[in-house]
Amino acid sequence: MELRTFHKFWLSLAMYTHREINLRHFEAVAIAGRTGSISNAALAMNLSQPAVTQAVAKVEAQVGCNLLERQPGGVVMTAAGALMTERIERALAYIVKGGQGVRRSARLSAMPNIERRITLSQLRALTAVEQAGSFALASKVTGLSEPALHRSARELEQLLGILLLTRHGRTVQPTPAAAHLLRFARLAFAELEAGFDELAALKLEGAGRITIGTLPMAQAILLPRALARFSSAYPAAKITVLEGPYPDLLTNLRTGQMDVLIGAIREPAPSKDVVQEELFDDDLVIVARADHPLTMEHDFDYERLRDFPWIIAASKAPMRVRWDEMFSGRGIDPPGMRIESNSVTISRGLMLSDDWLTLMSRDQFILERRAGLLVEVPSAFSSQRKIGLTVRDDWRPTRLQAAFVAEFRRACSDWTSEKLMARNSFRYA
């Protein structure tokens, strides 16, 4: 299992540049499989039958298995062919959306068969330069020469008829049109990688990858529990866990660089192209170090909360909304001394060193509570937030990815049951 922080995630771009994929060849496989004939594919793509036959052979050699089964009446897709064909078609559809969207934004007419004109090498070059911020650094990351990157980017601009990259001082920045195209390019890359993962799983049970984005709440108990079970059941899986600010994680989810986002549910939903699934209610409490002055007071007074410094979540985060409501709902001005941070590590460090307070899930500091380091400040405050999964609305998970989602749901269900039993045991003790 691999654990990486968000700011290093762009290095994974190398994965896309090391796999040489010819979209025309892959499309030939998809069309031949869907139509059941090499000749039909040749007619649809305006190619000769030998050219299509050669394209299919090259793809099958690249993926290491037969995608089409030759029969006297034509060709039939194998199980591997059916899996790969679906991913190819989804990737091509994303490229069409991206390319035609760029043309439409420039008030240019739609381009026929645009998915056959744009190449993956062009999209890889644009992605690399956008991520690196310069052609020189993109060259180092991808292993491609600077002239090759310049040529691919320039050819893509000429094809689409719109500027994609602009220079600002020493950096190269994408235009709005490029940002639109890049979103769909990354989704296309993700589909093709999912196809390769599904083929790998046919040869080795549980092979494949999943990339999980997580916010602090799930890191203490739920995600480790789910990962332990999942990795034990699927030892061949490559698991990547990303941490970072919610907007960054959401962007990576929406562009296919991440499969699942675990954390607090947003109301309303942050985007029309994502789906949120509520899994359980999370109790929020006021937390302080064990010997904090407030823990010694018998009569709790909300005004006393203004006498101490606070670590609070960033604006608009569900935790921050609850914190604001805690004061505004009682007609009290919030404390002036505060630090905005979503880092649980920083919050713990501040609280353990001084009289800092924070609003936190009971589950987030369960280890510190058991060790007697942090405690819940007795108060009348009661609030909850919804915790769950966020995925793209058109996400088509691989079997491995679907298995992880099922495992995380089980972990949440088990945890909810355990807390309910513990609460009932305490109530009737």
Side-chain angles (χ1 to χ4, degrees):
M1 182 172 65
E2 183 178 356
L3 180 66
R4 291 185 298 178
T5 54
F6 171 78
H7 69 279
K8 291 184 178 179
F9 183 61
W10 68 276
L11 292 175
S12 64
L13 173 67
M15 175 179 69
Y16 301 130
T17 59
H18 291 163
R19 200 191 294 280
E20 291 300 327
I21 296 174
N22 186 310
L23 273 179
R24 291 272 283 173
H25 292 170
F26 275 71
E27 185 185 14
V29 172
I31 294 177
R34 292 296 189 196
T35 62
S37 167
I38 294 293
S39 60
N40 288 341
L43 184 63
M45 300 184 70
N46 196 27
L47 296 173
S48 67
Q49 290 190 39
V52 172
T53 299
Q54 186 178 36
V56 172
K58 287 182 177 179
V59 172
E60 290 181 329
Q62 184 176 10
V63 301
C65 61
N66 291 333
L67 302 178
L68 301 176
E69 182 179 313
R70 282 71 173 171
Q71 296 182 349
V75 295
V76 177
M77 284 190 290
T78 63
L83 290 171
M84 199 67 196
T85 292
E86 181 180 13
R87 297 297 177 178
I88 293 168
E89 291 178 338
R90 284 172 62 84
L92 291 171
Y94 281 130
I95 292 173
V96 170
K97 283 184 180 180
Q100 301 293 23
V102 165
R103 297 272 300 175
R104 190 164 50 249
S105 68
R107 299 184 178 181
L108 299 173
S109 61
M111 182 179 292
N113 300 318
I114 194 170
E115 72 278 14
R116 297 178 187 171
R117 302 176 184 223
I118 296 175
T119 68
L120 280 192
S121 62
Q122 292 169 344
L123 295 177
R124 283 196 298 263
L126 183 64
T127 305
V129 175
E130 184 268 342
Q131 290 282 59
S134 74
F135 283 95
L137 186 53
S139 176
K140 291 180 181 179
V141 173
T142 63
L144 302 173
S145 68
E146 286 190 53
L149 290 171
H150 276 283
R151 183 170 57 254
S152 292
R154 185 168 57 253
E155 289 174 351
L156 186 57
E157 288 180 329
Q158 292 172 348
L159 171 67
L160 296 174
I162 191 167
L163 185 67
L164 297 175
L165 296 171
T166 59
R167 185 170 294 279
H168 295 273
R170 296 183 178 181
T171 65
V172 177
Q173 300 294 326
T175 64
H180 176 86
L181 179 60
L182 283 166
R183 179 190 167 205
F184 290 101
R186 291 188 174 104
L187 289 170
F189 289 143
E191 287 299 327
L192 293 172
E193 288 301 321
F196 279 97
D197 283 349
E198 289 179 317
L199 296 187
L202 292 177
K203 301 175 183 178
L204 177 61
E205 180 66 27
R209 74 193 73 207
I210 179 168
T211 302
I212 305 158
T214 179
L215 294 167
M217 193 278 131
Q219 294 172 16
I221 299 294
L222 291 174
L223 186 55
R225 178 178 293 191
L227 288 175
R229 295 176 181 174
F230 181 73
S231 59
S232 177
Y234 300 94
K238 181 180 180 183
I239 308 166
T240 301
V241 179
L242 305 179
E243 304 171 63
Y246 180 82
D248 292 342
L249 293 176
L250 180 65
T251 296
N252 278 274
L253 179 76
R254 296 180 63 224
T255 55
Q257 298 174 90
M258 197 172 75
D259 303 304
V260 177
L261 173 56
I262 299 172
I265 298 299
R266 264 56 181 177
E267 294 294 346
S271 176
K272 293 181 179 179
D273 58 354
V274 300
V275 177
Q276 300 182 119
E277 178 185 355
E278 298 177 4
L279 293 177
F280 68 96
D281 293 325
D282 182 35
D283 296 321
L284 301 179
V285 296
I286 302 171
V287 182
R289 59 185 172 87
D291 55 351
H292 192 282
L294 285 180
T295 64
M296 315 296 179
E297 300 178 6
H298 299 293
D299 298 322
F300 182 81
D301 181 359
Y302 275 92
E303 287 283 355
R304 283 283 284 148
L305 296 178
R306 303 182 70 253
D307 297 335
F308 302 96
W310 281 78
I311 315 105
I312 58 176
S315 177
K316 297 183 180 180
M319 187 86 77
R320 175 63 175 275
V321 172
R322 303 298 187 274
W323 186 83
D324 289 336
E325 291 173 348
M326 182 170 62
F327 294 98
S328 63
R330 294 169 175 80
I332 302 173
D333 291 333
M337 187 173 180
R338 66 183 79 164
I339 292 178
E340 289 192 10
S341 174
N342 292 323
S343 170
V344 175
T345 302
I346 291 175
S347 297
R348 287 168 179 156
L350 286 169
M351 286 188 292
L352 291 174
S353 64
D354 208 340
D355 289 339
W356 290 81
L357 298 172
T358 194
L359 200 60
M360 189 177 283
S361 160
R362 280 196 178 99
D363 300 332
Q364 271 182 284
F365 70 105
I366 187 171
L367 300 179
E368 289 80 2
R369 186 170 67 240
R370 290 172 178 173
L373 299 174
L374 298 178
V375 297
E376 176 182 342
V377 175
S379 71
F381 173 74
S382 177
S383 185
Q384 291 183 327
R385 59 177 177 169
K386 303 288 186 180
I387 300 296
L389 297 170
T390 303
V391 299
R392 297 198 321 274
D393 64 344
D394 65 346
W395 183 48
R396 191 69 57 84
T398 64
R399 288 180 59 189
L400 183 75
Q401 292 163 350
F404 170 78
V405 170
E407 187 60 66
F408 187 75
R409 290 189 183 121
R410 278 193 292 272
C412 292
S413 178
D414 291 348
W415 183 241
T416 301
S417 298
E418 290 172 17
K419 291 198 297 182
L420 181 61
M421 291 177 61
R423 189 176 300 125
N424 289 338
S425 296
F426 177 79
R427 182 181 304 167
Y428 296 112

